[in-house]
Amino acid sequence: QAQLVESGGGLVQAGDSLKLSCAASGRIFSSYNMGWFRQAPGKDREFVAVIKWSGGSTYYSDSVKGRLTISRDYAKNTVYLQMNSLKAEDTAVYFCAAAQGTYILTDLARANRYDYWGQGTQVTVSS
């Protein structure tokens, strides 16, 4: 069965760094596009970053560009989100997601493009 499991969340201070991991298994293969989204209390789910399954092309939301970096390890079937210079506004539950198919990068900022979702990992940044 398809499964995405996030890990690496926690409580950090503003300015600190944190690295999230998302392990894919089951029916989710390396050919899927992989994205990160986040949702703060009382807010809509927000796109963070995506990496395409082939070529390593990436796309970021303006709010995280330059601070967060998405990457993947095909051998481990794992996607990462390296978060630097964290701000209090980064506090949210972070979800990884997998999208099957061919899309342009901007289309993958839409949550409805994704077929599978993890349960999320909490990131809390104190100011």
Side-chain angles (χ1 to χ4, degrees):
Q1 296 181 350
Q3 187 175 31
L4 295 171
V5 180
E6 303 95 337
S7 62
L11 174 63
V12 297
Q13 187 175 339
D16 286 352
S17 297
L18 199 62
K19 189 174 184 178
L20 306 182
S21 298
C22 174
S25 62
R27 299 177 64 86
I28 300 177
F29 304 101
S30 61
S31 60
Y32 280 73
N33 308 286
M34 300 297 297
W36 284 98
F37 290 76
R38 66 187 183 185
Q39 188 166 21
K43 303 293 183 180
D44 294 332
R45 188 163 296 188
E46 175 190 12
F47 168 74
V48 176
V50 64
I51 185 166
K52 298 192 74 175
W53 76 272
S54 179
S57 298
T58 58
Y59 179 60
Y60 299 89
S61 69
D62 290 338
S63 63
V64 305
K65 188 178 298 183
R67 299 187 300 113
L68 278 61
T69 303
I70 189 172
S71 63
R72 69 190 302 171
D73 186 327
Y74 287 98
K76 297 180 179 179
N77 206 21
T78 300
V79 63
Y80 305 95
L81 186 67
Q82 177 65 52
M83 303 186 292
N84 299 326
S85 302
L86 284 165
K87 306 174 181 179
E89 62 200 64
D90 294 317
T91 296
V93 177
Y94 283 72
F95 301 89
C96 69
Q100 183 182 25
T102 302
Y103 299 98
I104 61 174
L105 283 172
T106 52
D107 278 354
L108 290 166
R110 300 173 60 178
N112 62 6
R113 294 287 190 255
Y114 292 81
D115 303 289
Y116 303 102
W117 293 82
Q119 293 300 304
T121 185
Q122 177 70 49
V123 173
T124 302
V125 184
S126 61
S127 58

